[in-house]
Amino acid sequence: MASKVTVTVTVNGRTLSAECEPRRTLADFLRQTLGFTGVHLGCEHGVCGACTIVFNGATARSCCMLAVQADGAEITTVHGLADGETLHPMQEAFWDNHGLQCGFCTPGMLLRACELVEEFPDPTEEQIREGISGNICRCTGYQFIVDAIRDGAQRMRQTS
Amino acid sequence: MKPASVEYHKATSIADAVDVLSSTEDEDAKVLAGGQSLVPMLSMRLARPSVLVDINGLTDLDYIRRDGDWLSIGALTRSRAVEKSAAVRDAAPLLSEAMGFVGHATIRNRGTIGGSVAHADPAAEAPAVLCALDAELVITGPAGARTVGANDFFHGFLTTAVGPDEMLTEIRVPVLPAGTGCAVEELARRHGDFAMVAVFAAVTVGDDGRCTDARLALAGTNPTPVRAREAEAVLVGSGLTAETIAQAAQAAAGVTNSANDIHAPAEYRRDMASVLTRRALRRAASDANVVV
Ligand SMILES: Cc1cc2nc3c(=O)[nH]c(=O)nc-3n(C[C@H](O)[C@H](O)[C@H](O)COP(=O)(O)OP(=O)(O)OC[C@H]3O[C@@H](n4cnc5c(N)ncnc54)[C@H](O)[C@@H]3O)c2cc1C
Ligand code: FES
Ligand code: FES
C-alpha cells in the first residue's frame, strides 16, 4: 500500500487538512473524509457531472482528480454559493423555476451554470444547453433547468 | 469504482518526470496530465500503474507560442485554452474549431491537448485534427527529444509512438496558408460525446479559384485517425465544385475501416463519412470564399 499523504485544501473559505492514500479521488476526499456532502457522486468516472466543484477558479469533476493533486488548492462546493441563509441568485432561480426534482444533479448544474453565466452574461438557449451538456439530469427533462439558468443569469446581471 | 493502490510522484521538471518513467520496474509508470481519461480508467481499474507521474506542476509545458510559420503548444496546455486562444484561431482555425468538440466545457477546463493526443482514442478530435494539419509531436525521453509527424504517431487503439520511458512535451502546428478555409463536421450522440464520425477539412484556394491544397482527416472510423489521401487528390487542382466535392466524399468513405460496435454498424459510419465529408468541404470552401 502506498504511504499516506497529508492534503491541505481551502474549501468554501475554510482551510482543512487530512491524510489519505494517493489513490483517493478528490470527490471521496471532499465528501467522505471532509464531509462536504454537496459533492454528489453519480457515475464516478467522469460522465455525469454531479461531482462538479470549482477548482482554483474553474469547474472540474472531482471524481477525475486525486485528492493529493489538490494540495494547496482553493475549492468551492455548492455549499459555498449561498451567503449564510441568503441563497445565491442562481439558487433562487432554480428554486423559483423548479429547476430540480430529486436534486441529485443540482450541485453540478448550479456550479456549471454560474461559470457559464460568467462567460455569457445573457446566454441563449443554445449556449445554455451546450454549456450544461456535460451534466446529466434524470428527472427534469432539462427544460426547467434551462429556464432557471436564463432567469438566474438575469438575476446575476441585476445584482452585479 | 475506486482506484487500486498507487504511488504518486509530483514531477518537478521534465527531466525528473522522464527519470521516474524510465526507472520504474515493469515500465508501468503513467503520466498524469488532466486526468480526464486516466482517472476514470484508474477508477474502473482498466489501468493499474504502480506509479503516477503528475505533470500538472510543470507550468513550462503550458504555453501557446507563434514562432514564424509554426505554432508551438506545450503538452500540458488545457484543451479550453487551445480552443479559446486567439493565436490558435489566427494560425490554425481548424484546431480551434476541433477543440470545441472535445468533451464538455468542464472536461476541457482540466483535460490537456497533450493528454488527448497521448491517449489516442480513435474517436478523439485532437489526434485527427493534428493529422489533418501535418503537425509534429515532440517526444522527450532519457536520450533527449525527438520529433514524430502526426501521421506516423498513432499506431493503433490507445497506442502511440511514445515509449514507456518517454513523454509528449510539445505539439508543433504549421501555420495554415492564406486563402485556407476550414470546417469540422461531427456526428455524436450528444454534443460533447466522442465522435461516431468526425471529419476535419482544410482547403487552400489560389487566386484563380482552384484548390491548391486539401487536407481531410477522419476520426471514429478507423483504429487510428486517418487522412483521406485519395479524396485530397481529387480536390487539388479542381475548382471545388459540387461534383468534385461529391467525388471526394465518395473517396473519403472508402478509407473507413471500422468494426460494428454498440454505437453504429460499420456501414453507417462509412455512409456518414461521405455525408460529413461533403458538408465539411462545402463549408470549408465557403470559408475560403468559394461559392459551391
Ligand atoms: C465525459 C467525458 C467526455 C469526453 N469526451 C471527449 C470527446 O468528445 N473527445 C475527446 O477527444 N476526448 C473526450 N474526453 C477525454 C478528454 O478529452 C481527456 O481530457 C483526454 O482524452 C485526456 O487528456 P488528459 O489531459 O485529461 O489526460 P490524462 O487523462 O491525464 O491522460 C490520458 C493518457 O495519456 C497519457 N498522457 C497524458 N499526458 C501525457 C504526456 N504529456 N506524455 C505522455 N503521456 C501522456 C496518460 O498517461 C494516460 O495514459 C472525454 C472525457 C470525459 C470524462
Ligand atoms: S461522479 Fe464525477 S462525473 Fe459522475
Ligand atoms: S433533479 Fe434529479 S437528477 Fe436532476
Side-chain angles (χ1 to χ4, degrees), chain A residues 116 120-131 146 149-150 153 157:
Chain A
L116 167 73
F120 306 110
D122 188 6
T124 62
E125 167 152 2
E126 200 191 329
Q127 285 164 340
I128 295 172
R129 288 193 180 267
E130 148 85 26
V146 174
I149 294 174
R150 197 183 294 109
R157 288 200 301 280

Side-chain angles (χ1 to χ4, degrees), chain A residues 100-105 137-140:
Chain A
L100 63 149
Q101 287 179 25
C102 78
F104 196 84
C105 67
C137 175
R138 301 302 296 267
C139 305
T140 61

Side-chain angles (χ1 to χ4, degrees), chain A residues 1-2 22-23 28 43-45 55 58-61 63-66 68-69 112 115 119 130 133-134 136, chain B residues 1-6 8 32 35-36 39-40 45 52 54 56 80 84 104-107 109-110 190-191:
Chain A
M1 198 174 81
R23 64 165 160 163
D28 283 344
C43 66
E44 297 187 70
H45 67 279
F55 182 85
T59 58
R61 309 198 142 172
C63 75
C64 293
M65 289 187 67
L66 298 174
V68 38
Q69 296 186 279
R112 179 64 199 125
E115 185 178 56
E119 189 182 358
E130 148 85 26
S133 64
I136 293 175
Chain B
M1 291 306 251
K2 307 292 174 197
S5 188
V6 64
Y8 172 85
L32 174 59
Q36 303 301 291
V39 176
R45 301 203 179 185
L52 290 172
D54 185 353
N56 282 280
R80 190 83 168 146
K84 297 284 172 196
H104 316 279
T106 303
I107 304 280
N109 278 345
R110 186 101 196 126
R190 296 177 302 166
H191 190 107

Side-chain angles (χ1 to χ4, degrees), chain A residues 46-66:
Chain A
V47 298
C48 76
C51 67
T52 302
I53 56 170
V54 179
F55 182 85
N56 289 340
T59 58
R61 309 198 142 172
S62 56
C63 75
C64 293
M65 289 187 67
L66 298 174

Side-chain angles (χ1 to χ4, degrees), chain B residues 266-289:
Chain B
E267 227 179 349
Y268 180 69
R269 280 205 167 89
R270 193 175 58 233
D271 286 351
M272 288 305 112
S274 162
V275 170
L276 297 179
T277 301
R278 196 175 65 234
R279 284 185 198 161
L281 285 173
R282 290 183 85 105
R283 201 151 59 75
S286 112
D287 188 36
N289 293 318

